[in-house]
Amino acid sequence: MSEERLVLCEIVENVAVLTLNRPEKLNSFTRAMAGQLREYLDKVVPQPQVRAVLLTGAGRAFCAGQDLNEAPTEGQDGGQPDLGSIVRELYIPLVTGIRQSEKPFVCAVNGVAAGAGANLALACDIVVAASDATFVQAFSKIGLVPDCGGTFILPRLIGLGKASAITMLAEKVSADEASAMGMIYKVIEKTSLQQQAFEIATTLAKMPTRALGLTKRALNLSLGNDLSSQLDLEAMLQGEAGRTEDFKEGIAAFKEKRVPRFQGK
Ligand code: T3D
């Protein structure tokens, strides 16, 4: 990993706190920054001590998407650029890393989230935003299409009509509007965003991690399943959850009328 810490990572109370850290460029993604985030997703998040992840940004923005100074307008041979290969190499691993991780991800959107930055936030399981944060599907303004799963998740979160409008018009959507249309979980007063987002993450980190992971798997697969397949999947996952230590602890705590002490096993 390079010397410059473009993404900060610390583990606090079983929460991996990942902070995008190029505040002077609104945490826009360079190749190096995407690489560092990917390394944390691959190497830190799977560690057993990590039972939840909090993703946020340093400074006044969450993330302004691709660093446009690094976006090629021509190929290495002077021909056409291949943005598809950049998306495959840099961004697809980040979104799949978040969605396929069986750890819960909280995103604290601390300011503007634009382009790939907006859709990376929406790939997280629980998205909270500061009262002055905004979401911009900025792609159409520069002649591009939404990536990072925006065309997948947005119609599912807010419906085709609103998804069409915000991706085509590329207008700023306020945190309140995003919450009202179901794009995010909730809006939090700016001054308490980080504390409240961390509280959500630590709450998740104390819960039965395996059950949360299996819940995430079920929700992911529901997006492509019919009811019958989903009911079968739930039965299969319930079987798996029922074999965890945390299930035994949950039942014991219920019977003993005490707070459960889940170990994430
Ligand atoms: O390789 C590929 O290109 C394919 C992958 C594409 C994925 C994508 O994410 S495409 C979408 C890329 N993102 C954008 O188009 C957003 C561009 N930025 C903006 O529209 C605005 O900056 C914001 C709406 C995000 C915020 O506006 P505002 O007024 O709050 O801030 P600002 O003054 O525009 O920006 C502050 C600084 O950040 C400024 O630098 P300076 O002049 O102070 O030195 C600005 O240039 C810089 N900055 C903002 N966004 C980016 C950026 N620098 C590089 N890349 C950016 N994306």
Side-chain angles (χ1 to χ4, degrees):
M1 187 169 287
S2 78
E3 290 292 302
E4 205 180 356
R5 297 185 67 209
L6 304 169
V7 181
L8 308 177
C9 175
E10 55 176 343
I11 300 173
V12 187
E13 296 178 43
N14 300 109
V15 175
V17 182
L18 304 177
T19 307
L20 307 177
N21 188 38
R22 291 183 77 226
E24 69 292 350
K25 294 295 177 191
L26 306 189
N27 302 317
S28 55
F29 270 104
T30 57
R31 177 176 293 272
M33 186 171 115
Q36 287 186 20
L37 181 56
R38 183 178 180 177
E39 198 158 336
Y40 291 131
L41 293 176
D42 289 348
K43 295 187 179 160
V44 174
V45 171
Q47 292 174 14
Q49 75 200 59
V50 173
R51 295 177 60 190
V53 181
L54 174 58
L55 177 65
T56 192
R60 74 174 175 93
F62 171 68
C63 174
Q66 167 70 33
D67 184 322
L68 296 178
N69 299 312
E70 268 198 11
T73 51
E74 57 180 44
Q76 282 169 346
D77 57 0
Q80 299 288 0
D82 182 7
L83 298 193
S85 66
I86 297 175
V87 171
R88 282 189 199 91
E89 190 188 337
L90 302 193
Y91 294 110
I92 290 179
L94 300 182
V95 175
T96 52
I98 293 170
R99 290 307 322 155
Q100 286 174 8
S101 164
E102 294 205 346
K103 306 284 172 71
F105 276 65
V106 178
C107 184
V109 181
N110 53 300
V112 64
N119 293 336
L120 199 69
L122 298 180
C124 294
D125 301 298
I126 298 179
V127 185
V128 294
S131 37
D132 64 349
T134 52
F135 296 81
V136 198
Q137 294 291 324
F139 307 90
S140 63
K141 280 190 178 170
I142 54 169
L144 294 183
V145 299
D147 56 23
C148 281
T151 59
F152 179 85
I153 196 72
L154 277 169
R156 287 166 170 81
L157 290 174
I158 62 176
L160 186 59
K162 285 199 172 73
S164 303
I166 68 166
T167 52
M168 290 183 182
L169 294 171
E171 290 172 343
K172 273 188 185 172
V173 175
S174 71
D176 281 332
E177 289 168 331
S179 175
M181 64 174 80
M183 196 196 296
I184 63 170
Y185 177 49
K186 63 168 131 170
V187 182
I188 296 176
E189 182 51 44
K190 185 179 180 60
T191 50
S192 52
L193 174 75
Q194 296 300 349
Q195 184 207 327
Q196 286 195 44
F198 184 68
E199 279 170 15
I200 294 172
T202 51
T203 297
L204 292 166
K206 293 188 181 93
M207 292 179 71
T209 311
R210 293 292 306 124
L212 297 187
L214 297 174
T215 302
K216 184 168 174 175
R217 197 192 306 174
L219 292 171
N220 277 340
L221 291 169
S222 78
L223 300 172
N225 273 348
D226 59 20
L227 176 62
S228 158
S229 314
Q230 193 67 14
L231 289 170
D232 275 345
L233 175 71
E234 288 174 358
M236 191 271 284
L237 297 178
Q238 201 68 291
E240 202 170 325
R243 293 188 286 274
T244 63
E245 293 296 315
D246 283 341
F247 169 62
K248 290 190 185 71
E249 168 62 8
I251 294 295
F254 176 78
K255 288 181 178 167
E256 292 160 24
K257 299 190 187 301
R258 61 172 173 81
V259 176
R261 290 180 295 273
F262 295 118
Q263 303 297 316
K265 293 176 184 160

